[in-house]
Amino acid sequence: MGHSAVVATAALATLGLTKPADIEIPQITFTVKEMDFSEWKGDLLAVAVSEKDTKDSDSKFQNVFLKRLDDKIGGLLAEAVTEEDFTGKAGQSTFLRLPGLGFKRLGLVGLGSSSSTAAAYRGIGEAVAGVAKAAQANSVAVCLASSDGISEELKINAASAIASGTILGVYEDNRFRSDSKKPLLKTVDVIGFGSGTVVDQKLKYATDVCSGVIFGKELVNAPANVLTPGALAEEASKIATLYSDVLTATILDAEQCKELKMGSYLGVAAASSNPPHFIHLCYKPPNGDVKRKLAIVGKGLTFDSGGYNIKTGPGCSIETMKVDMGGAAAAFGAAKALAQIKPPGVEVHFISAACENMISGTGMRPGDIVTASNGKTIEVNNTDAEGRLTLADALVYACNQGIDKVVDLATLTGACIVALGPSIAGFYSPSDDLAKEIVTASEVTGEKFWRMPLEESYWESMKSGVADMVNTGGRQGGSITAALFLKQFVNEKVQWLHIDMAGPVWNDKKRAATGFGVSTLVEWVMKNSS
């Protein structure tokens, strides 16, 4: 298994002597209730309000529940709403501290007009989490001002989106701070969203997915001196041990990769003093009955200096290149969530060829020719187009697992960010069916994807004078030529889809990882399971 290598790297002191603190991820208990929310007792009562529910001209609420609440507190709510010009728009909220009632704080949170989207309800959860943190609340209730015209199915999905928003809103990655406050939020009552086993299952599902998203965020947030390829392999192996009923881990070292002829991947890894680790987790359903075999391949560059084509100059983003394993983080985050959900009928392979792209005398030079595990030769005209070189061997390996479909995720090109901006991932696929599956999954999760063209005529720029191909074709259409390159390493019998997530892996404003990809991948696997 090559585990000895993992242990050896872990024994060395981390550069800079930084150790992530062992911080417990907050466990919040969600309970669905049907009750008159003005009778609820606890720290914080939040009411989700749409633009239809707010006041009419004579400063009285149109909504009966809001009227009743307002009467209970002597009209203070109507006054606050007028003063703060609260109209129920998405992103608006107003909170009051009140004496002598069952709840200490009462708040209205805006749903906007499109109260039917998962994103709107996730926003409610995030807003509530923010106030709960600031007010040091232990117990919170969230309810709808009006459930007119909202189907049972939408209510269930809304409850689950509120739960997700709350969990991810409360979570803060404080592993690398010298001191940090513990979040106090313990219980959330979800009132008026239906009740029964279906809602309970959906809330458990939301909690499982969030634990995968948080794991993905932690992997991306961890700096490259802490999360080396060996450490990434160790984290993946830990999940397999934790859920050994459904997951197994295989970690290949450089020697084993050499036997599998992975010259393209090993060429990228050659310069670093941190050895490469090829990571393969396999999920098998508890009853062993498999109808579909899927693979999720994530790019796993724990740091990308660019190699001899070093990233230089303003805007080269070398200082954020710890995020270059965002694809692997999404894959292993999804693995963690699915290991808890345990979908029947699908076998899923989670694969990442993890390494660092560094500079040294043993490294790959521009102009070198590497040979991938399917025998194809590549003239490396740019050492900073390295992700595709590692993915080449990972995709060949994935297709050898006897799979039906493969999705790869990679922080692959700056070109994709230029095309789609920072919050949308581009995706490419020769298969319309698989493209539809990913779009359908993303509509449920609210993550943003946009299909891009696999324009075959652009392959012309990827031709080499000496080898089968070069690894980069110039600036124009750079994300497209990268996708065409990957296609050379996928078995034609396997349906394949490539996601370029260089933009949405990171949130610049929050200076933190987003966990992008995890929830959509889980949703995709679930659809293939049913």
Side-chain angles (χ1 to χ4, degrees):
M1 296 282 274
H3 275 304
S4 53
V6 179
V7 179
T9 49
L12 299 171
T14 301
L15 177 144
L17 306 183
T18 299
K19 274 206 184 80
D22 226 354
I23 288 179
E24 273 178 48
I25 287 166
Q27 297 300 321
I28 303 170
T29 311
F30 291 91
T31 316
V32 282
K33 292 188 171 166
E34 289 292 328
M35 62 179 286
D36 175 351
F37 56 69
S38 58
E39 301 301 316
W40 181 80
K41 290 184 174 35
D43 291 335
L44 172 69
L45 173 65
V47 186
V49 177
S50 76
E51 291 179 43
K52 289 200 289 284
D53 299 319
T54 45
K55 310 193 320 295
D56 52 24
S57 52
D58 63 352
S59 78
K60 284 278 183 285
F61 290 103
Q62 293 182 332
N63 177 290
V64 272
F65 285 112
L66 294 177
K67 269 202 183 109
R68 193 184 313 162
L69 266 178
D70 196 32
D71 292 344
K72 198 168 179 170
I73 59 172
L76 276 178
L77 200 54
E79 284 176 28
V81 162
T82 308
E83 287 160 6
E84 297 180 27
D85 196 20
F86 176 89
T87 56
K89 281 196 179 77
Q92 281 191 321
S93 63
T94 177
F95 283 86
L96 309 173
R97 176 71 171 89
L98 301 161
L101 291 167
F103 40 87
K104 292 184 193 167
R105 278 183 173 76
L106 168 65
L108 304 183
V109 187
L111 253 181
S113 52
S114 60
S115 54
S116 58
T117 64
Y121 289 104
R122 203 172 304 114
I124 299 283
E126 284 167 12
V128 168
V131 176
K133 268 200 290 204
Q136 300 184 354
N138 278 301
S139 56
V140 166
V142 183
C143 53
L144 275 178
S146 129
S147 55
D148 297 346
I150 299 179
S151 66
E152 285 308 306
E153 188 192 1
L154 179 60
K155 273 190 198 169
I156 293 168
N157 289 336
S160 129
I162 287 170
S164 303
T166 309
I167 295 170
L168 298 175
V170 166
Y171 167 75
E172 267 176 34
D173 190 349
N174 290 321
R175 294 168 301 158
F176 300 101
R177 298 191 197 282
S178 52
D179 62 339
S180 62
K181 277 213 211 73
K182 262 196 168 148
L184 301 169
L185 186 59
K186 299 277 183 292
T187 64
V188 176
D189 291 339
V190 186
I191 302 171
F193 289 85
S195 60
T197 49
V198 185
V199 194
D200 291 337
Q201 277 169 343
K202 196 79 182 166
L203 288 173
K204 182 196 177 302
Y205 176 79
T207 309
D208 291 342
V209 172
C210 285
S211 87
V213 173
I214 287 172
F215 180 56
K217 285 184 175 196
E218 289 193 332
L219 291 176
V220 174
N221 281 335
N225 60 328
V226 171
L227 193 87
T228 57
L232 181 58
E234 213 175 329
E235 290 297 330
S237 302
K238 271 186 205 158
I239 299 177
T241 311
L242 198 58
Y243 304 105
S244 54
D245 54 332
V246 289
L247 282 182
T248 51
T250 308
I251 313 289
L252 307 177
D253 60 19
E255 209 40 57
Q256 291 163 302
C257 292
K258 197 169 151 190
E259 280 163 34
L260 292 171
K261 300 191 163 52
M262 298 186 178
S264 184
Y265 163 46
L266 291 172
V268 176
S272 177
S273 52
N274 289 314
H277 289 70
F278 190 98
I279 308 164
H280 175 197
L281 298 186
C282 178
Y283 167 87
K284 289 201 163 105
N287 65 0
D289 181 31
V290 172
K291 294 185 180 60
R292 279 210 182 120
K293 292 188 182 181
L294 313 172
I296 294 171
V297 176
K299 171 179 166 183
L301 267 290
T302 58
F303 186 75
D304 177 16
S305 70
Y308 274 108
N309 291 99
I310 190 169
K311 295 177 186 287
T312 56
C316 74
S317 305
I318 191 170
E319 72 286 353
T320 59
M321 280 303 124
K322 65 176 185 182
V323 309
D324 214 16
M325 34 57 69
F332 300 138
K336 182 175 185 181
L338 289 160
Q340 297 169 74
I341 298 163
K342 305 188 201 310
V346 281
E347 177 179 302
V348 193
H349 298 269
F350 305 90
I351 294 162
S352 182
C355 64
E356 272 188 325
N357 187 22
M358 300 296 280
I359 299 176
S360 77
T362 60
M364 193 168 57
R365 295 149 288 244
D368 283 0
I369 294 175
V370 295
T371 306
S373 45
N374 63 349
K376 290 191 178 171
T377 59
I378 305 151
E379 180 186 358
V380 180
N381 60 0
N382 188 328
T383 60
D384 194 17
E386 84 301 329
R388 64 198 69 179
L389 296 172
T390 66
L391 286 166
D393 283 327
L395 285 166
V396 171
Y397 179 94
C399 290
N400 287 339
Q401 307 303 312
I403 54 169
D404 309 307
K405 303 174 187 177
V406 57
V407 169
D408 80 74
L409 301 93
T411 46
L412 207 58
T413 67
C416 201
I417 309 178
V418 172
L420 297 175
S423 30
I424 303 168
F427 75 90
Y428 297 82
S429 181
S431 159
D432 290 347
D433 292 341
L434 189 50
K436 272 199 197 83
E437 286 179 25
I438 286 294
V439 168
T440 308
S442 72
E443 280 164 356
V444 176
T445 63
E447 291 189 314
K448 292 176 182 157
F449 291 84
W450 190 258
R451 191 173 184 184
M452 303 281 279
L454 272 170
E455 178 52 56
E456 290 293 342
S457 69
Y458 290 179
W459 182 249
E460 200 52 43
S461 69
M462 299 292 283
K463 288 183 174 160
S464 159
V466 279
D468 294 338
M469 64 192 90
V470 290
N471 70 329
T472 169
R475 290 188 61 74
Q476 296 181 319
S479 177
I480 300 174
T481 48
L484 290 170
F485 177 90
L486 296 179
K487 189 167 173 258
Q488 309 301 311
F489 301 91
V490 180
N491 182 324
E492 292 193 339
K493 295 190 185 77
V494 177
Q495 287 186 28
W496 160 72
L497 184 140
H498 157 63
I499 296 169
D500 192 333
M501 53 177 280
V505 66
W506 188 253
N507 182 326
D508 261 339
K509 214 160 55 198
K510 293 181 179 168
R511 300 190 190 88
T514 56
F516 184 88
V518 175
S519 56
T520 301
L521 287 172
V522 173
E523 194 63 41
W524 174 66
V525 171
M526 296 305 290
K527 288 271 194 300
N528 274 279
S529 152
S530 51

